[in-house]
C-alpha cells in the first residue's frame, strides 16, 4: 500500500472528496482522538489551568477536539483548504489557519504553551516541488516553531517515518534549531499498535521533567539516532569460520549444484594488493 505522501502533495491529496471520507471514517476518528489524547498526555500540561496549544496539521479538527476535551484552547494550521473548510463547517472550538508549515510558523514569539501534531512531519521530508528542499523546510519550520513557544514549552509530534534515516533527519534539524528531547515509542513490539512520538522541549523544561516512558513495555524504549559509523571489528561469517574456509564451503556447494567453479589453489581467499 502506497504512503499518502508518495501519491501527491498534501494540498492535492486531501481534496474535497478525500477530506470528506477522512472526516467521516469512524476508524480514523477513533485513531485521531486516541493519538491526540496521548500527545496531550505527553505534553504534561498543568492540570489546574487551561493552556494555549498549537495543532500543527490540524486537518478537519479531529485532533483539536481532543484538545478541547482536555480543557485547553487551541489554534490549528493546515495546508489543505478542503480540510479547513470542513473544520469551519463542523464549528470547531479552535481557530484554523491556511498555511504551509514548510514556510514557517506565522505567530508571535512565546505564543504557545505547547504544540501537538498528528501524522504530519513526514510530509516535510518529501520534495513535492522543484523549489522544495526537505532540509531547509524542516529547519525553517523548527526555527520559527521554537520562537513561537514559551520558554520551557513542550511539543509532541506523532510521526510515521518511512525509515530510520528519515527520523534522523527530523530529529537532527530539531536539535540544530535549539530543541532538546527524544523519541518515545508506544507498543514497540506490536505491528499495528506501535506509535512513534517525538517529544521536544523549547529551552529548559519546567520542573524536574524527564522524557516519559512508552506504553506497552517496562523497559526504556527511547530511540537515539546518530550519524557516527560503526567502528568495531566485523564479525566473522558463521561464527569462527575463517575467510578461506567460508569460500571453500561456498564453492563446494556450488559444485554440488553442478555449476562450474574455479579450482582451489594457494591463492584462494587471498586478498589482492591494491593497484596504483
Amino acid at each position: 500500500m502506497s504512503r499518502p505522501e508518495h501519491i501527491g502533495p498534501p494540498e492535492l491529496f486531501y481534496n474535497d472528496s478525500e477530506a470528506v471520507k477522512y472526516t467521516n471514517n469512524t476508524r480514523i476518528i477513533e485513531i485521531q482522538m486516541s493519538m491526540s489524547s496521548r500527545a496531550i498526555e505527553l505534553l504534561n500540561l498543568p492540570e489546574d489551568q487551561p493552556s494555549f496549544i498549537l495543532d500543527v496539521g490540524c486537518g478537519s479538527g479531529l485532533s483539536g477536539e481532543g484538545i478541547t476535551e482536555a480543557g485547553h484552547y487551541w489554534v490549528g494550521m493546515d495546508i489543505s483548504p478542503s480540510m479547513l473548510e470542513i473544520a469551519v463547517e463542523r464549528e470547531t472550538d479552535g481557530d484554523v489557519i491556511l498555511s504551509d508549515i514548510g514556510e514557517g510558523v506565522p505567530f508571535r514569539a512565546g505564543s504557545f504553551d505547547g504544540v501537538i501534531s498528528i501524522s504530519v512531519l513526514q510530509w516535510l521530508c518529501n520534495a513535492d516541488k522543484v523549489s522544495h528542499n526537505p532540509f531547509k523546510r524542516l529547519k525553517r519550520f523548527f526555527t520559527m516553531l521554537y520562537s513561537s513557544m514559551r520558554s520551557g514549552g513542550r511539543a509532541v509530534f506523532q510521526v510515521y517515518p518511512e525509515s530510520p534515516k528519515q527520523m534522523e533527519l527530523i530529529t537532527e534539524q530539531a536539535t540544530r534549531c535549539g530543541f532538546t528531547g527524544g523519541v518515545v515509542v508506544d507498543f514497540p513490539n506490536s505491528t499495528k499498535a506501535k506509535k512513534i512520538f517525538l517529544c521536544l522541549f523549547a529551552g529548559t523544561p519546567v520542573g524536574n521533567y524527564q522524557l516519559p516512558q512508552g506504553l506497552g513495555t517496562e523497559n526504556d524504549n527511547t530511540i537515539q539516532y546518530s550519524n557516527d559509523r560503526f567502528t568495531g571489528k566485523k564479525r566473522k561469517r558463521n561464527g569462527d569460520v575463517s575467510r578461506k574456509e567460508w569460500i571453500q564451503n561456498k564453492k563446494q556447494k556450488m559444485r554440488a549444484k553442478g555449476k562450474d567453479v574455479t579450482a582451489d589453489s594457494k591463492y584462494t581467499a587471498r586478498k589482492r594488493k591494491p593497484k596504483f
Side-chain angles (χ1 to χ4, degrees):
M1 183 177 180
S2 300
R3 295 171 64 94
E5 59 266 29
H6 291 173
I7 298 175
E11 64 271 27
L12 298 181
F13 179 81
Y14 291 107
N15 52 28
D16 292 343
S17 60
E18 191 67 28
V20 171
K21 289 192 297 183
Y22 186 93
T23 307
N24 295 331
N25 188 304
T26 55
R27 175 168 174 77
I28 291 179
I29 294 174
E30 181 182 352
I31 293 174
Q32 284 285 326
M33 291 296 293
S34 174
M35 291 191 295
S36 60
S37 297
R38 175 59 173 158
I40 295 170
E41 178 186 347
L42 292 173
L43 284 179
N44 195 29
L45 297 168
E47 297 181 358
D48 56 344
Q49 62 183 14
S51 300
F52 191 37
I53 309 298
L54 173 64
D55 186 0
V56 177
C58 62
S60 57
L62 296 178
S63 53
E65 291 182 358
I67 301 176
T68 301
E69 289 184 1
H72 304 294
Y73 303 105
W74 62 279
V75 170
M77 54 188 300
D78 201 279
I79 196 175
S80 170
S82 300
M83 282 288 202
L84 295 181
E85 286 178 5
I86 295 179
V88 173
E89 292 174 359
R90 296 175 67 241
E91 298 182 351
T92 57
D93 292 318
D95 295 324
V96 293
I97 299 173
L98 180 64
S99 180
D100 177 7
I101 63 173
E103 297 298 325
V105 181
F107 296 99
R108 291 189 306 175
S111 297
F112 300 104
D113 301 308
V115 177
I116 71 167
S117 178
I118 308 299
S119 310
V120 173
L121 274 189
Q122 65 270 10
W123 288 89
L124 287 181
C125 297
N126 285 356
D128 296 319
K129 300 178 181 178
V130 177
S131 59
H132 283 183
N133 184 314
F135 292 91
K136 293 182 179 179
R137 285 169 62 79
L138 283 166
K139 181 179 179 181
R140 189 180 298 113
F141 167 69
F142 282 121
T143 298
M144 297 185 68
L145 180 68
Y146 188 95
S147 299
S148 69
M149 297 174 62
R150 66 172 177 81
S151 179
R154 306 181 184 105
V156 176
F157 300 88
Q158 186 276 323
V159 293
Y160 290 111
E162 187 175 3
S163 63
K165 187 175 181 180
Q166 191 177 89
M167 192 67 203
E168 182 178 353
L169 169 63
I170 295 173
T171 54
E172 181 181 359
Q173 294 304 312
T175 303
R176 287 184 176 182
C177 296
F179 284 101
T180 57
V183 178
V184 175
V185 183
D186 286 351
F187 307 104
N189 299 320
S190 173
T191 303
K192 293 184 178 180
K194 181 179 179 180
K195 294 293 181 292
I196 300 176
F197 295 88
L198 176 62
C199 301
L200 301 176
F201 309 129
T204 305
V206 178
N208 186 18
Y209 183 76
Q210 297 180 347
L211 197 66
Q213 187 173 339
L215 301 177
T217 176
E218 296 179 355
N219 300 322
D220 179 26
N221 63 342
T222 57
I223 301 176
Q224 301 294 335
Y225 293 94
S226 173
N227 279 326
D228 297 335
R229 295 182 177 180
F230 177 72
T231 56
K233 294 182 179 179
K234 294 182 179 179
R235 66 180 180 87
K236 293 184 178 180
R237 299 180 179 90
N238 299 328
D240 297 328
V241 178
S242 67
R243 173 184 171 86
K244 185 174 182 178
E245 290 174 339
W246 185 88
I247 293 177
Q248 289 176 335
N249 290 337
K250 184 70 175 179
K251 293 171 73 173
Q252 186 62 32
K253 291 179 181 179
M254 299 297 285
R255 292 190 186 99
K257 294 181 180 180
K259 296 186 178 182
D260 294 333
V261 180
T262 306
D264 293 336
S265 69
K266 64 178 182 179
Y267 300 106
T268 299
R270 281 193 182 183
K271 292 185 178 180
R272 297 175 181 268
K273 294 184 178 179
K275 295 183 178 180
F276 296 95

Coordinates of all heavy atoms in Angstrom, one line a residue, residues 34-116:
S34 N -7.5 9.1 19.8 CA -6.6 8.3 20.7 C -5.2 8.9 20.6 O -4.6 9.1 21.7 CB -6.5 6.9 20.2 OG -5.6 6.2 21.0
M35 N -4.7 9.2 19.5 CA -3.3 9.8 19.3 C -3.2 11.2 19.9 O -2.2 11.6 20.5 CB -2.8 9.7 17.9 CG -2.6 8.3 17.4 SD -1.7 8.1 15.8 CE -2.9 8.9 14.7
S36 N -4.2 12.0 19.6 CA -4.2 13.4 20.2 C -4.3 13.4 21.7 O -3.6 14.2 22.3 CB -5.4 14.2 19.6 OG -6.6 13.6 19.9
S37 N -5.1 12.5 22.3 CA -5.1 12.4 23.7 C -3.8 11.9 24.3 O -3.3 12.4 25.3 CB -6.2 11.3 24.1 OG -7.5 11.8 23.7
R38 N -3.1 11.0 23.6 CA -1.8 10.6 24.0 C -0.8 11.7 23.9 O 0.1 11.9 24.8 CB -1.4 9.4 23.2 CG 0.1 8.9 23.5 CD 0.3 8.4 24.9 NE 1.6 7.8 25.1 CZ 2.2 7.7 26.3 NH1 1.6 8.2 27.4 NH2 3.4 7.1 26.4
A39 N -0.9 12.5 22.8 CA 0.1 13.6 22.7 C -0.1 14.6 23.8 O 0.9 15.2 24.3 CB -0.1 14.2 21.3
I40 N -1.4 14.9 24.1 CA -1.7 15.9 25.2 C -1.1 15.4 26.5 O -0.6 16.1 27.3 CB -3.2 16.2 25.3 CG1 -3.6 16.8 24.0 CG2 -3.5 17.0 26.5 CD1 -5.1 16.9 23.8
E41 N -1.3 14.1 26.7 CA -0.7 13.4 28.0 C 0.8 13.6 28.0 O 1.3 13.9 29.1 CB -1.1 12.0 28.0 CG -0.6 11.2 29.2 CD -0.9 9.7 29.1 OE1 -1.7 9.3 28.3 OE2 -0.3 9.0 29.9
L42 N 1.5 13.4 26.9 CA 2.9 13.6 26.9 C 3.4 15.0 27.1 O 4.5 15.2 27.5 CB 3.5 13.0 25.5 CG 3.3 11.5 25.3 CD1 3.8 11.1 23.9 CD2 4.2 10.7 26.3
L43 N 2.5 16.0 26.7 CA 2.8 17.4 27.0 C 3.0 17.7 28.5 O 3.7 18.6 28.9 CB 1.8 18.3 26.4 CG 1.8 18.5 24.9 CD1 0.6 19.4 24.5 CD2 3.1 19.1 24.4
N44 N 2.3 16.9 29.3 CA 2.3 17.0 30.7 C 2.0 18.5 31.2 O 2.7 19.1 31.9 CB 3.7 16.6 31.3 CG 3.7 16.4 32.8 OD1 2.7 16.1 33.4 ND2 4.9 16.7 33.4
L45 N 0.9 19.0 30.7 CA 0.5 20.4 31.0 C -0.1 20.5 32.4 O -0.6 19.5 32.9 CB -0.6 20.8 30.0 CG -0.1 20.9 28.5 CD1 -1.3 21.0 27.6 CD2 0.9 22.0 28.3
P46 N -0.1 21.7 33.0 CA -0.7 21.9 34.3 C -2.2 21.5 34.3 O -2.9 21.9 33.4 CB -0.5 23.4 34.6 CG 0.7 23.8 33.7 CD 0.6 22.9 32.5
E47 N -2.6 20.8 35.3 CA -4.0 20.4 35.4 C -4.9 21.4 35.9 O -6.1 21.4 35.7 CB -4.1 19.1 36.2 CG -3.3 17.9 35.7 CD -3.5 16.7 36.5 OE1 -4.1 16.8 37.6 OE2 -2.9 15.6 36.2
D48 N -4.4 22.4 36.6 CA -5.3 23.4 37.3 C -5.6 24.6 36.5 O -6.3 25.5 36.9 CB -4.6 23.8 38.6 CG -3.2 24.4 38.4 OD1 -2.6 24.1 37.3 OD2 -2.7 25.1 39.3
Q49 N -5.0 24.7 35.2 CA -5.3 25.9 34.4 C -5.2 25.5 32.9 O -4.4 24.6 32.5 CB -4.2 27.0 34.7 CG -2.8 26.6 34.4 CD -1.8 27.7 34.7 OE1 -2.1 28.6 35.4 NE2 -0.6 27.5 34.2
P50 N -6.0 26.1 32.1 CA -6.0 25.8 30.6 C -4.8 26.4 30.0 O -4.2 27.4 30.4 CB -7.3 26.5 30.1 CG -7.5 27.6 31.1 CD -7.1 27.1 32.4
S51 N -4.3 25.7 28.9 CA -3.1 26.2 28.2 C -3.5 26.5 26.8 O -4.6 26.1 26.3 CB -2.1 25.1 28.2 OG -1.7 24.7 29.5
F52 N -2.6 27.2 26.1 CA -2.9 27.6 24.7 C -2.0 26.7 23.8 O -0.8 26.7 23.9 CB -2.5 29.0 24.5 CG -3.0 29.6 23.2 CD1 -4.2 29.2 22.6 CD2 -2.2 30.5 22.5 CE1 -4.6 29.7 21.4 CE2 -2.6 31.1 21.3 CZ -3.8 30.7 20.7
I53 N -2.6 25.9 22.9 CA -1.9 24.8 22.2 C -2.0 25.1 20.7 O -3.0 25.6 20.2 CB -2.6 23.5 22.4 CG1 -2.7 23.2 24.0 CG2 -1.8 22.3 21.8 CD1 -1.4 23.1 24.7
L54 N -0.9 24.8 20.0 CA -0.9 24.9 18.5 C -1.0 23.5 18.0 O -0.2 22.6 18.4 CB 0.4 25.5 18.0 CG 0.7 25.5 16.5 CD1 -0.4 26.3 15.8 CD2 2.1 26.0 16.2
D55 N -2.0 23.3 17.1 CA -2.2 22.0 16.4 C -1.6 22.1 15.0 O -2.2 22.7 14.1 CB -3.6 21.6 16.4 CG -3.9 20.2 15.9 OD1 -2.9 19.5 15.5 OD2 -5.1 19.8 15.8
V56 N -0.4 21.5 14.8 CA 0.2 21.6 13.5 C -0.3 20.5 12.6 O -0.2 19.3 12.9 CB 1.8 21.4 13.7 CG1 2.4 21.4 12.3 CG2 2.3 22.5 14.6
G57 N -0.9 20.9 11.5 CA -1.6 19.9 10.6 C -2.9 19.5 11.2 O -3.2 18.3 11.3
C58 N -3.7 20.5 11.5 CA -5.0 20.2 12.3 C -6.0 19.5 11.4 O -6.9 18.9 11.9 CB -5.5 21.5 12.8 SG -6.0 22.7 11.5
G59 N -5.9 19.6 10.1 CA -6.9 18.9 9.2 C -8.3 19.5 9.4 O -8.5 20.7 9.5
S60 N -9.3 18.6 9.6 CA -10.7 19.0 9.8 C -11.0 19.2 11.2 O -12.2 19.3 11.6 CB -11.6 17.9 9.2 OG -11.3 16.6 9.7
G61 N -10.0 19.2 12.1 CA -10.3 19.5 13.5 C -10.5 18.3 14.4 O -10.9 18.5 15.6
L62 N -10.2 17.1 13.9 CA -10.4 15.9 14.8 C -9.5 15.9 16.0 O -9.9 15.6 17.1 CB -10.2 14.6 13.9 CG -11.2 14.4 12.8 CD1 -10.8 13.1 12.0 CD2 -12.6 14.3 13.3
S63 N -8.2 16.2 15.8 CA -7.3 16.2 16.9 C -7.6 17.4 17.8 O -7.3 17.3 19.0 CB -5.8 16.3 16.4 OG -5.7 17.3 15.5
G64 N -8.1 18.5 17.2 CA -8.4 19.6 18.1 C -9.5 19.3 19.1 O -9.6 19.9 20.1
E65 N -10.4 18.4 18.7 CA -11.5 18.0 19.7 C -10.9 17.4 20.9 O -11.4 17.6 22.0 CB -12.5 17.1 19.0 CG -13.3 17.7 17.9 CD -14.3 16.7 17.3 OE1 -14.2 15.5 17.7 OE2 -15.0 17.1 16.4
G66 N -9.8 16.7 20.8 CA -9.2 16.1 21.9 C -8.6 17.2 22.8 O -8.6 17.1 24.1
I67 N -8.1 18.3 22.2 CA -7.5 19.4 23.0 C -8.6 20.1 23.8 O -8.5 20.4 24.9 CB -6.8 20.4 22.1 CG1 -5.7 19.7 21.3 CG2 -6.3 21.6 22.9 CD1 -5.0 20.6 20.3
T68 N -9.8 20.3 23.1 CA -10.9 20.9 23.7 C -11.4 20.1 24.9 O -11.7 20.6 26.0 CB -12.1 21.1 22.7 OG1 -11.6 21.9 21.6 CG2 -13.2 21.8 23.4
E69 N -11.5 18.8 24.7 CA -12.0 17.9 25.8 C -11.1 17.9 27.0 O -11.5 17.7 28.1 CB -12.1 16.5 25.3 CG -13.3 16.3 24.3 CD -13.4 14.8 23.9 OE1 -12.7 14.0 24.4 OE2 -14.3 14.5 23.0
A70 N -9.8 18.2 26.7 CA -8.8 18.2 27.8 C -8.9 19.6 28.6 O -8.2 19.8 29.6 CB -7.4 18.0 27.3
G71 N -9.7 20.5 28.1 CA -9.9 21.8 28.7 C -8.9 22.9 28.3 O -8.7 23.8 29.1
H72 N -8.3 22.7 27.1 CA -7.4 23.7 26.7 C -7.9 24.5 25.4 O -8.8 24.0 24.8 CB -6.0 23.0 26.3 CG -5.4 22.3 27.4 ND1 -5.0 22.8 28.6 CD2 -5.2 20.9 27.6 CE1 -4.5 21.9 29.4 NE2 -4.7 20.7 28.8
Y73 N -7.3 25.6 25.1 CA -7.6 26.4 24.0 C -6.6 26.1 22.9 O -5.4 25.7 23.2 CB -7.6 27.9 24.3 CG -8.5 28.3 25.4 CD1 -8.0 28.6 26.7 CD2 -9.9 28.3 25.2 CE1 -8.8 28.9 27.7 CE2 -10.7 28.7 26.2 CZ -10.2 29.0 27.5 OH -11.0 29.3 28.5
W74 N -7.0 26.2 21.6 CA -6.1 25.8 20.5 C -6.3 26.6 19.3 O -7.3 27.2 19.0 CB -6.2 24.3 20.2 CG -7.5 23.9 19.8 CD1 -8.6 23.6 20.5 CD2 -7.9 23.6 18.4 NE1 -9.6 23.2 19.7 CE2 -9.2 23.2 18.4 CE3 -7.2 23.8 17.2 CZ2 -9.9 22.9 17.2 CZ3 -7.9 23.4 16.0 CH2 -9.3 23.0 16.1
V75 N -5.2 26.6 18.5 CA -5.2 27.2 17.1 C -4.6 26.1 16.2 O -3.6 25.5 16.6 CB -4.4 28.5 17.0 CG1 -4.2 28.9 15.6 CG2 -5.1 29.6 17.8
G76 N -5.2 25.9 15.0 CA -4.7 24.9 14.1 C -4.2 25.5 12.8 O -4.8 26.6 12.4
M77 N -3.3 24.9 12.2 CA -2.8 25.3 10.9 C -2.7 24.1 10.0 O -2.3 23.0 10.4 CB -1.5 26.0 11.0 CG -0.4 25.3 11.7 SD 1.1 26.3 12.0 CE 1.6 26.7 10.3
D78 N -3.1 24.3 8.7 CA -3.1 23.1 7.8 C -2.9 23.7 6.4 O -3.3 24.8 6.1 CB -4.3 22.3 7.9 CG -4.1 20.9 7.3 OD1 -4.2 20.7 6.1 OD2 -3.9 20.0 8.1
I79 N -2.4 22.9 5.4 CA -2.1 23.3 4.1 C -3.3 23.0 3.1 O -3.4 23.5 2.0 CB -0.8 22.7 3.5 CG1 -0.3 23.4 2.3 CG2 -1.0 21.2 3.3 CD1 1.0 22.9 1.8
S80 N -4.3 22.1 3.6 CA -5.4 21.7 2.8 C -6.6 22.6 2.9 O -7.2 22.6 4.0 CB -5.7 20.2 3.1 OG -6.9 19.9 2.4
P81 N -7.0 23.4 1.9 CA -8.2 24.2 2.0 C -9.5 23.3 2.3 O -10.3 23.8 3.0 CB -8.3 24.9 0.7 CG -6.9 24.8 0.1 CD -6.3 23.6 0.6
S82 N -9.5 22.2 1.6 CA -10.7 21.3 1.8 C -10.8 20.8 3.2 O -12.0 20.8 3.8 CB -10.6 20.1 0.9 OG -10.5 20.5 -0.5
M83 N -9.8 20.5 3.9 CA -9.8 20.1 5.3 C -10.3 21.2 6.2 O -11.1 21.0 7.1 CB -8.4 19.6 5.7 CG -8.1 18.2 5.3 SD -9.1 16.9 6.1 CE -8.1 15.5 5.9
L84 N -9.7 22.4 5.9 CA -10.1 23.5 6.8 C -11.6 24.0 6.6 O -12.2 24.4 7.5 CB -9.2 24.7 6.5 CG -7.7 24.5 6.9 CD1 -6.9 25.7 6.6 CD2 -7.5 24.1 8.3
E85 N -12.1 23.8 5.4 CA -13.5 24.1 5.1 C -14.4 23.2 5.9 O -15.4 23.7 6.5 CB -13.8 24.0 3.6 CG -13.2 25.1 2.8 CD -13.5 24.9 1.3 OE1 -14.3 23.9 1.0 OE2 -13.0 25.6 0.5
I86 N -14.0 21.9 6.0 CA -14.8 21.0 6.9 C -14.7 21.4 8.3 O -15.7 21.3 9.1 CB -14.3 19.6 6.6 CG1 -14.6 19.1 5.2 CG2 -15.0 18.6 7.6 CD1 -14.2 17.7 4.9
A87 N -13.5 21.8 8.8 CA -13.3 22.2 10.2 C -14.2 23.4 10.5 O -14.8 23.5 11.6 CB -11.9 22.6 10.4
V88 N -14.3 24.4 9.5 CA -15.2 25.5 9.8 C -16.7 25.1 9.8 O -17.5 25.5 10.6 CB -15.0 26.6 8.7 CG1 -16.0 27.7 8.8 CG2 -13.6 27.1 8.8
E89 N -17.1 24.2 8.9 CA -18.4 23.7 8.8 C -18.8 22.9 10.1 O -19.9 23.0 10.6 CB -18.6 22.8 7.6 CG -18.6 23.5 6.3 CD -18.6 22.5 5.1 OE1 -18.7 21.3 5.4 OE2 -18.6 23.0 4.0
R90 N -17.8 22.2 10.7 CA -18.1 21.5 11.9 C -18.1 22.4 13.1 O -18.3 21.9 14.3 CB -17.0 20.4 12.1 CG -17.0 19.3 11.0 CD -15.9 18.4 11.1 NE -16.0 17.5 12.3 CZ -15.1 17.5 13.3 NH1 -14.1 18.2 13.2 NH2 -15.3 16.7 14.3
E91 N -17.7 23.7 13.0 CA -17.7 24.7 14.0 C -16.8 24.2 15.2 O -17.3 24.1 16.4 CB -19.1 24.9 14.5 CG -20.1 25.5 13.5 CD -21.5 25.8 14.0 OE1 -21.8 25.4 15.2 OE2 -22.2 26.5 13.3
T92 N -15.6 23.9 14.9 CA -14.6 23.5 15.9 C -14.4 24.7 16.8 O -14.5 25.9 16.4 CB -13.3 23.1 15.2 OG1 -12.8 24.2 14.4 CG2 -13.5 21.9 14.4
D93 N -14.0 24.4 18.0 CA -13.7 25.4 19.0 C -12.5 26.2 18.8 O -12.4 27.4 19.2 CB -13.7 24.8 20.4 CG -15.0 24.2 20.9 OD1 -16.0 24.9 20.7 OD2 -15.0 23.1 21.5
G94 N -11.5 25.7 18.1 CA -10.3 26.4 17.8 C -10.3 27.1 16.4 O -11.1 26.8 15.5
D95 N -9.5 28.2 16.3 CA -9.4 28.9 15.1 C -8.4 28.1 14.2 O -7.5 27.5 14.6 CB -8.8 30.3 15.3 CG -9.8 31.2 16.1 OD1 -11.0 31.0 15.9 OD2 -9.3 32.0 16.9
V96 N -8.7 28.2 12.9 CA -7.8 27.4 11.9 C -7.2 28.4 10.9 O -7.9 29.4 10.5 CB -8.6 26.3 11.2 CG1 -9.0 25.2 12.2 CG2 -9.9 26.8 10.5
I97 N -6.0 28.1 10.4 CA -5.3 29.0 9.5 C -4.8 28.1 8.3 O -4.2 27.1 8.6 CB -4.1 29.7 10.2 CG1 -4.7 30.6 11.4 CG2 -3.3 30.5 9.3 CD1 -3.6 31.1 12.2
L98 N -4.9 28.7 7.1 CA -4.3 28.0 5.9 C -2.9 28.4 5.8 O -2.5 29.6 5.7 CB -5.1 28.4 4.7 CG -4.6 27.8 3.4 CD1 -4.8 26.3 3.4 CD2 -5.3 28.5 2.2
S99 N -2.0 27.4 6.0 CA -0.6 27.7 6.0 C 0.2 26.5 5.7 O -0.1 25.4 6.0 CB -0.2 28.3 7.3 OG 1.2 28.6 7.4
D100 N 1.4 26.7 5.0 CA 2.3 25.6 4.7 C 3.4 25.6 5.8 O 4.2 26.6 5.9 CB 3.0 25.8 3.3 CG 4.0 24.8 3.0 OD1 4.2 23.8 3.8 OD2 4.7 25.0 2.0
I101 N 3.5 24.6 6.6 CA 4.4 24.6 7.8 C 5.9 24.6 7.3 O 6.8 25.0 8.0 CB 4.2 23.4 8.7 CG1 4.4 22.1 8.0 CG2 2.8 23.5 9.3 CD1 4.3 20.9 8.9
G102 N 6.1 24.2 6.0 CA 7.4 24.2 5.5 C 7.9 25.7 5.2 O 9.1 25.9 5.1
E103 N 7.0 26.6 5.3 CA 7.3 28.0 5.1 C 7.5 28.7 6.5 O 7.7 29.9 6.6 CB 6.3 28.8 4.3 CG 6.2 28.2 2.9 CD 7.4 28.5 2.1 OE1 8.1 29.5 2.3 OE2 7.8 27.6 1.2
G104 N 7.2 27.9 7.6 CA 7.4 28.5 8.9 C 6.1 28.6 9.7 O 5.0 28.1 9.2
V105 N 6.2 29.1 10.9 CA 5.0 29.2 11.8 C 4.8 30.7 12.0 O 5.5 31.3 12.7 CB 5.3 28.5 13.1 CG1 4.1 28.6 14.0 CG2 5.7 27.0 12.8
P106 N 3.7 31.2 11.5 CA 3.4 32.7 11.5 C 2.8 33.2 12.8 O 1.7 33.7 12.7 CB 2.5 32.9 10.3 CG 1.7 31.6 10.2 CD 2.6 30.5 10.7
F107 N 3.5 33.0 13.9 CA 2.9 33.5 15.2 C 3.9 34.3 16.0 O 5.1 34.1 15.8 CB 2.4 32.3 16.0 CG 1.2 31.6 15.4 CD1 1.4 30.4 14.7 CD2 -0.1 32.1 15.4 CE1 0.4 29.7 14.1 CE2 -1.1 31.4 14.8 CZ -0.9 30.2 14.2
R108 N 3.5 35.1 16.9 CA 4.4 35.9 17.7 C 5.2 35.0 18.6 O 4.8 33.9 19.0 CB 3.6 36.9 18.5 CG 2.9 38.0 17.7 CD 2.4 39.1 18.7 NE 1.5 38.5 19.7 CZ 0.9 39.2 20.7 NH1 1.2 40.5 20.8 NH2 0.1 38.6 21.6
A109 N 6.4 35.6 19.0 CA 7.2 34.8 19.9 C 6.6 34.5 21.3 O 5.9 35.4 21.8 CB 8.5 35.6 20.1
G110 N 6.7 33.3 21.8 CA 6.2 33.0 23.1 C 4.7 32.8 23.1 O 4.1 33.0 24.2
S111 N 4.0 32.5 22.0 CA 2.6 32.5 22.0 C 2.0 31.2 22.6 O 0.9 31.3 23.2 CB 2.1 32.6 20.5 OG 2.4 33.8 19.9
F112 N 2.7 30.1 22.5 CA 2.1 28.8 22.8 C 2.7 28.1 24.0 O 3.9 28.1 24.2 CB 2.1 27.8 21.6 CG 1.4 28.4 20.4 CD1 2.1 28.9 19.3 CD2 0.0 28.4 20.3 CE1 1.5 29.4 18.2 CE2 -0.6 28.9 19.2 CZ 0.1 29.4 18.2
D113 N 1.9 27.5 24.8 CA 2.3 26.7 26.0 C 2.8 25.3 25.5 O 3.6 24.7 26.2 CB 1.2 26.6 27.0 CG 0.8 28.0 27.5 OD1 1.6 28.8 27.9 OD2 -0.4 28.2 27.5
G114 N 2.2 24.8 24.4 CA 2.5 23.5 24.0 C 2.1 23.3 22.5 O 1.4 24.2 22.0
V115 N 2.6 22.3 21.9 CA 2.4 22.0 20.5 C 2.1 20.5 20.3 O 2.9 19.7 20.9 CB 3.5 22.5 19.6 CG1 3.3 22.1 18.1 CG2 3.8 24.0 19.7
I116 N 1.1 20.2 19.5 CA 0.9 18.8 19.1 C 0.8 18.7 17.6 O 0.4 19.7 16.9 CB -0.3 18.1 19.8 CG1 -1.6 18.7 19.2 CG2 -0.2 18.2 21.3 CD1 -2.8 17.8 19.6

